[in-house]
Amino acid sequence: MKDSNFLKEKNAKSLWHPMAHPADCLNNPPTIVTGAQGVRITDVDGHEVVDGVGGLWNVNLGFSCQPIKEAIARQLDVLPYYSTFRGTTNDAIIELSEMLRDFYAPDGLTRAFYTSGGSDSVETALRLARQYHKVRGEEGRTKFLSLKKGYHGTHMGGASVNGNANFRTQYEPLLPGCYHIPAPYTYRNPFNETDPEKLAALCLQAMEDEIAFQGAGTIAAMIMEPILGAGGVIVPHESFMRGVRAICDKHGILLIADEVITAFGRTGSWTGSRHWGVQPDLMSTAKAITNGYFPFGAVMIAEKVAEVFENDTSGKAAIGHGYTYSGHPVGAAAAIACVQETLKLNVKDNAAARGAELYAGLQALGAKYEQIGDVRGGEGLMCAMELVSDRNTKAAIDKKTIGTIQEVAYKEGAMVRVSGPNIILSPPLVLTSDDVQTLLSALDAGFAAVN
């Protein structure tokens, strides 16, 4: 590795960072992470902190999961790559597919289509949804519904169903035929409704209204996160996703669960859909499927959808879509080891317990500091605080202040993520109680620094 002087001198000079302004990265050089162990990361200066971000929602098992590392190394020695396009496959991907079929059986999902990551998985699910209706003879079903504040990756299709202007405005015009429903976001919504159950009902009513306006026969699918992640950890009332499922069934619309974040235990259940008692038609997954150690993803497909494709005799069900790295054998080997370890450690239970502890601690901070307008979480290890400059008007906090809170928290031992006015926490699911307290005490110091 180049020495620290080289790394600091060249930081952000020849690299544009995702989700950042290039000039801002030059003026405020990114933290250079050079090592990691357990749930902690170490920077170029040797400063070690608890990773409250979990890599990027994906390092569920921490940075020292030896079985996954060993599986990757073994597979590189045996078969480092081969295509799964028509005519060839590999042993690792067959084994993984049977494992995922068992894992997702309670969700009613029995087939897998492999991708290189979350955005790929969303794009694939959108395409398969359109094709499903065409195979069935309903060519007019091409539109998509989604939630405002929802996040579905960065491909053109995903950006089009995204519900946040930050991922849309500079890239418009996007895919036509995408329409957005108000999110069950009690802190800010067009109904000024703070009761979660009443708000869920209003959002479901808005969905019915949009379907009536568009015409049910023109809509292919509704895509949603069981708990909205990147939009600020927006937790709906338990009735909401079940209500969406019922509306989709009523109108012949497919339900795509975007579980790139919520699958594999993050919510305190093995999937977000299972958490709310819903079986989707398609599910996009990635991130924790390999613990972040290899770029890999999958779209899981329900039996009723699979049957339409597999029973087709017209040729319309031939899938004209895929990626060079679909079913990559090294990714498959990593995923096999990761799923085995995920189940062995039963991380969903620790996520639920530590998540409750973290949420309670954040609520205590919310009672202590006026800058905290809303605290969200309570369902596994995904929490957020929305910061404001004025609690009465809910005006967003300024960038400098939230930046200072993040910087001080880092100095005090915790990496936290800032996204707009939100501080988002998505730590590894193997977090301990002591680690939770480190996160909370570091955030306490961050807020104290601006008060």
Side-chain angles (χ1 to χ4, degrees):
M1 187 184 77
K2 296 287 187 180
D3 64 28
S4 60
N5 290 331
F6 174 90
L7 295 174
K8 291 177 180 178
E9 179 189 348
K10 301 299 181 183
N11 193 5
K13 294 287 174 58
S14 303
L15 161 67
W16 277 8
H17 287 262
M19 302 296 181
H21 194 304
D24 185 54
C25 289
L26 289 170
N27 295 328
N28 302 282
T31 300
I32 303 172
V33 179
T34 57
Q37 193 76 16
V39 301
R40 287 168 168 76
I41 57 174
T42 306
D43 67 23
V44 69
D45 294 316
H47 182 54
E48 185 181 86
V49 301
V50 172
D51 182 20
V53 190
L56 195 61
W57 303 90
N58 56 348
V59 187
N60 282 12
L61 306 181
F63 296 94
S64 305
C65 191
Q66 198 61 27
I68 304 174
K69 297 177 185 179
E70 291 173 357
I72 290 171
R74 281 196 305 270
Q75 189 62 45
L76 284 169
D77 282 338
V78 176
L79 180 67
Y81 174 75
Y82 211 78
S83 164
T84 60
F85 276 35
R86 182 175 55 190
T88 57
T89 189
N90 64 74
D91 51 352
I93 206 65
I94 295 170
E95 182 180 348
L96 174 63
S97 300
E98 294 307 309
M99 182 180 290
L100 292 181
R101 185 177 188 132
D102 291 341
F103 182 85
Y104 285 107
D107 301 295
L109 304 168
T110 61
R111 310 291 196 281
F113 187 101
Y114 294 100
T115 72
S116 305
S119 291
D120 286 352
S121 292
V122 167
E123 193 78 8
T124 298
L126 296 174
R127 290 190 178 207
L128 291 178
R130 279 187 172 178
Q131 187 174 7
Y132 165 84
H133 293 294
K134 286 180 166 61
V135 173
R136 295 179 69 250
E138 293 191 78
E139 289 84 356
R141 287 187 179 268
T142 61
K143 297 174 184 175
F144 298 110
L145 301 178
S146 59
L147 295 175
K148 293 177 180 178
K149 303 296 287 183
Y151 179 75
H152 304 290
T154 55
H155 292 349
M156 193 60 75
S160 302
V161 294
N162 270 349
N164 188 318
N166 291 341
F167 311 119
R168 300 174 55 87
T169 306
Q170 302 301 330
Y171 310 103
E172 293 174 333
L174 297 171
L175 187 71
C178 298
Y179 302 94
H180 296 78
I181 310 302
Y185 175 24
T186 53
Y187 193 60
R188 300 179 193 271
N189 62 77
F191 312 107
N192 291 319
E193 179 57 70
T194 57
D195 180 270
E197 187 171 10
K198 290 179 181 178
L199 179 58
L202 289 168
C203 293
L204 292 171
Q205 183 180 335
M207 181 179 172
E208 282 275 26
D209 182 70
E210 190 65 30
I211 291 169
F213 178 74
Q214 298 295 334
T218 70
I219 300 170
M222 167 74 175
I223 183 169
M224 65 172 288
E225 302 160 273
I227 296 172
L228 284 71
V233 187
I234 296 170
V235 182
H237 186 264
E238 61 183 1
S239 63
F240 182 69
M241 193 173 184
R242 290 198 293 268
V244 171
R245 174 75 275 182
I247 292 171
C248 287
D249 287 341
K250 175 182 174 183
H251 296 292
I253 297 166
L254 294 181
L255 174 58
I256 302 170
D258 185 346
E259 299 227 28
V260 172
I261 285 173
T262 52
F264 300 105
R266 173 65 59 186
T267 65
S269 301
W270 284 130
T271 70
S273 297
R274 216 176 301 179
H275 193 72
W276 301 128
V278 171
Q279 290 189 332
D281 300 304
L282 297 159
M283 182 188 291
S284 58
T285 70
K287 289 193 183 291
I289 198 170
T290 63
N291 203 44
Y293 291 7
F294 194 93
F296 196 80
V299 174
M300 300 305 301
I301 302 160
E303 187 68 23
K304 78 167 191 179
V305 176
E307 287 175 352
V308 167
F309 280 81
E310 292 171 4
N311 294 335
D312 171 66
T313 57
S314 70
K316 291 181 180 179
I319 296 172
H321 172 75
Y323 304 97
T324 299
Y325 301 110
S326 291
H328 196 297
V330 180
I336 290 168
C338 184
V339 174
Q340 288 173 337
E341 197 69 8
T342 295
L343 292 169
K344 176 184 172 184
L345 296 176
N346 194 27
V347 293
K348 67 178 178 62
D349 287 355
N350 192 60
R354 300 290 77 74
E357 188 178 344
L358 179 61
Y359 183 53
L362 295 177
Q363 288 177 309
L365 291 178
K368 184 175 181 180
Y369 295 110
E370 287 293 316
Q371 292 96 341
I372 302 173
D374 194 30
V375 177
R376 297 187 288 272
E379 307 292 340
L381 273 170
M382 47 193 310
C383 295
M385 296 181 290
E386 184 168 342
L387 307 191
V388 294
S389 58
D390 186 308
R391 276 190 174 179
N392 293 322
T393 65
K394 299 183 182 180
I397 200 162
D398 63 280
K399 188 175 179 180
K400 182 180 178 182
T401 301
I402 197 171
T404 298
I405 294 168
Q406 181 188 35
E407 182 181 345
V408 173
Y410 183 75
K411 289 178 181 176
E412 294 297 320
M415 171 66 82
V416 300
R417 184 182 179 202
V418 168
S419 179
N422 301 306
I423 290 178
I424 296 178
L425 294 164
S426 53
L429 306 190
V430 293
L431 204 72
T432 67
S433 289
D434 286 346
D435 298 326
V436 170
Q437 293 309 312
T438 297
L439 292 175
L440 293 170
S441 62
L443 282 166
D444 194 1
F447 282 101
V450 296
N451 278 275

